[in-house]
Amino acid sequence: EAAGTRLDRFLAGLDALGSRAAAERVLVSGAVLVDGAARAKSHRLQGGEDVELEAPEAPSGLEPERIDVRSAYEDEHLLVVDKPAGLVVHPGRGHASGTLAHGLVGRSAGGDEETRPGIVHRLDRDTSGLLVVAKSEEAYRGLSRAIRRREVEREYLVLVRGRPASRSGRIDAPIG
């Protein structure tokens, strides 16, 4: 069924991984063999190959921190937080602590990135808004799959300072 598919895309579609980033990490680590040999992420599957994957270990390791964030919704599967502008979602270069992920330790779960447990999407530091967080591995896989398949609709409201060239319009292009 996967004949003709790039190896990284095939791996990203597996519930055990769930994202292209996770697929790339296991490929780089050598945890994937195709017919007994390591292959490049761009390798196209022919069909009938034996793909071996050493599943990544479960996340562990963020230290909990007190981060004041309002919950907009919570049930046994999901947590929706109202992320304020200025708060970084997960640790990265220059932000080893004080992130939303640190504040969610113990309240969220799922995924294979220990610095992003339960986080299936993000908002930029200077953007405020609602962020959906998984509270279980099952919810994480389902949310990741829905986002990957573009089944999740996102809406943004943008405030503009100054005077745009037109009174109305639509931006339908990548914005960097």
Side-chain angles (χ1 to χ4, degrees):
E1 292 178 17
T5 304
R6 282 175 51 120
L7 181 57
D8 58 348
R9 288 183 186 263
F10 170 75
L11 293 170
L14 299 175
D15 285 344
L17 297 179
S19 73
R20 293 276 296 271
E24 188 158 335
R25 278 193 304 282
V26 296
L27 284 164
V28 168
S29 73
V32 177
L33 300 176
V34 178
D35 286 337
R39 303 279 188 213
K41 67 182 183 180
S42 61
H43 172 76
R44 297 235 178 234
L45 296 171
Q46 302 299 308
E49 293 113 324
D50 182 29
V51 179
E52 297 176 51
L53 166 65
E54 185 178 322
E57 293 182 21
S60 66
L62 276 183
E63 292 296 321
E65 294 181 30
R66 178 152 172 73
I67 307 290
D68 290 325
V69 178
R70 188 177 73 78
S71 295
Y73 175 83
E74 185 170 5
D75 65 20
E76 66 271 16
H77 304 287
L78 301 173
L79 171 64
V80 179
V81 296
D82 188 3
K83 187 194 95 56
L87 179 62
V88 175
V89 173
H90 55 82
R93 192 175 65 223
H95 301 283
S97 63
T99 69
L100 177 63
H102 287 92
L104 294 174
V105 172
R107 294 184 69 191
S108 60
D112 62 343
E113 294 184 53
E114 65 181 44
T115 59
R116 298 177 56 134
I119 298 173
V120 294
H121 67 104
R122 68 177 185 84
L123 293 172
D124 291 339
R125 176 182 56 200
D126 294 328
T127 302
S128 63
L130 299 178
L131 190 90
V132 180
V133 180
K135 292 177 62 177
S136 68
E137 186 64 38
E138 180 182 8
Y140 182 88
R141 285 193 308 267
L143 286 169
S144 295
R145 188 172 28 254
I147 288 172
R148 192 171 54 253
R149 293 177 179 168
R150 303 201 188 302
E151 297 169 344
V152 174
E153 185 174 320
R154 303 174 194 188
E155 289 188 20
Y156 300 90
L157 173 66
V158 179
L159 302 178
V160 177
R161 173 188 261 168
R163 183 177 289 250
S166 342
R167 293 190 57 65
S168 66
R170 179 183 178 118
I171 299 172
D172 189 7
I175 299 172

